[in-house]
Amino acid sequence: MKTAIRITLLLSLLISVQAIAQQVKYCQMIGKSVNQIINTFGKPVHQDLSNPDMKCIFYQTKTQRTTFIADKSGVYQIQADLSFDTQKDATKSIDGFLTDCGSQNYQIDTLNAGNYNIKTSGVKMTLNLFENTYLKKYEVKFKAEKSESK
C-alpha cells in the first residue's frame, strides 16, 4: 500500500513539473504558426478553422486545458487552465513557473498572493490562482498575449 502511495505521489510530482515546463514553453509559442504548434504539441483535441482570419487550436488532458489563438501572423494568444487537488500543489506549480521565468530574466510583478503579471520581449502574461469551491480544486489560470513592447 505504501508503495502505491509513493508511486502516486511521484507521478503527481512529475505531472506538476511537466505542467510548469509547458507554461514556459507556451509563452515561447507566441508568433509561431499553427503548424509549428501542432508539430510541437501533437494533434489537438479540436481545431476551429471556421474563420480564415482566426484559428483556434485546443488541447486537453485530465488536469489541463490549453487554447492557442492565431491569425495569419501566427499565435497571438494562449490560455491554459491547470487543475490541482490541493492549494499546495497549485502553489508549487506557480512557484516553479515563476522561478523558471526569473531564470530567463522575465519581469515579474506580484499583484497579490497567487496573482502575477509577467513580461518578456513581445509577450505579456498573467498567472492567477483560483479556488474552485464547486469542484473542490485549485486552478491555475495562465494567459499569454503578443505584446508590442520589445
Side-chain angles (χ1 to χ4, degrees), residues 31-65:
K32 305 291 184 192
S33 72
V34 169
N35 288 337
Q36 288 174 297
I37 300 301
I38 293 171
N39 287 339
T40 302
F41 296 102
K43 183 180 177 184
V45 293
H46 179 69
Q47 295 184 59
D48 181 352
L49 307 174
S50 60
N51 180 346
D53 295 328
M54 182 178 77
K55 297 176 182 178
C56 298
I57 309 296
F58 302 91
Y59 292 89
Q60 185 168 341
T61 66
K62 186 176 179 181
T63 59
Q64 184 173 329
R65 288 186 320 257

Side-chain angles (χ1 to χ4, degrees), residues 85-138:
D85 291 327
T86 67
Q87 184 175 6
K88 181 180 178 182
D89 289 341
T91 301
K92 189 184 298 183
S93 174
I94 289 172
D95 291 346
F97 176 71
L98 294 175
T99 299
D100 227 14
C101 288
S103 71
Q104 296 185 38
N105 295 318
Y106 293 3
Q107 297 174 348
I108 302 168
D109 182 19
T110 304
L111 303 177
N112 58 44
N115 295 299
Y116 306 89
N117 285 337
I118 306 150
K119 294 180 186 175
T120 188
S121 180
V123 181
K124 64 180 181 176
M125 299 168 267
T126 58
L127 188 65
N128 300 296
L129 176 62
F130 170 74
E131 182 181 2
N132 186 330
T133 54
Y134 179 74
L135 295 176
K136 297 180 180 163
K137 299 271 186 185
Y138 289 85

